[in-house]
Amino acid sequence: MVTRKQYTKEFKLDAISLVLDQGFTIAEAARSLEINANMLRRWIKEFQTGDDGQAFRGNGKLTPEQEEIRRLKSEVKQLRLEKQILKEAAVFFAKETK
């Protein structure tokens, strides 16, 4: 099984710099770095659309907004479970009082 090669953030930023700052074409830069031109294009696109310097943040590192969304989803799940338990308890006690 072939493992996927992973590139550091610095390598990606240097590759992007070759194209955007130093005037190399994507094909030239990709060839000199021995990477696929489409991958370099994707890195450039991600860099240009990345906001707040969050481009290439890696796996497991969430933005503050993503962390809040994850926390809120967890809280909603817990509240729904508690609501269901309370409904079932109300039904149980309503049957007991009859």
Side-chain angles (χ1 to χ4, degrees):
M1 183 172 162
V2 177
T3 59
R4 237 172 76 169
K5 186 162 184 181
Q6 295 186 3
Y7 298 95
T8 64
K9 180 177 182 176
E10 292 77 23
F11 180 85
K12 292 176 182 180
L13 293 174
D14 288 343
I16 291 168
S17 175
L18 287 175
V19 175
L20 298 181
D21 300 334
Q22 298 178 23
F24 286 90
T25 67
I26 291 175
E28 291 171 337
R31 209 172 14 259
S32 69
L33 296 171
E34 298 178 355
I35 60 173
N36 190 303
N38 289 329
M39 183 171 16
L40 181 55
R41 269 190 206 89
R42 191 173 61 242
W43 291 349
I44 292 170
K45 183 178 178 183
E46 183 178 343
F47 176 76
Q48 290 175 334
T49 59
D51 46 329
D52 301 333
Q54 292 292 324
F56 315 122
R57 64 182 179 277
N59 295 332
K61 296 180 183 175
L62 302 176
T63 63
E65 293 84 14
Q66 291 171 326
E67 288 177 11
E68 184 176 8
I69 289 170
R70 180 177 280 176
R71 183 187 62 78
L72 291 172
K73 284 183 177 183
S74 174
E75 188 176 331
V76 166
K77 183 179 178 181
Q78 179 66 30
L79 290 172
R80 285 184 176 155
L81 179 62
E82 290 173 4
K83 181 180 171 185
Q84 184 63 32
I85 291 170
L86 289 173
K87 280 183 181 180
E88 291 172 5
V91 169
F92 175 78
F93 287 118
K95 288 180 181 177
E96 287 286 319
T97 57
K98 287 184 180 181

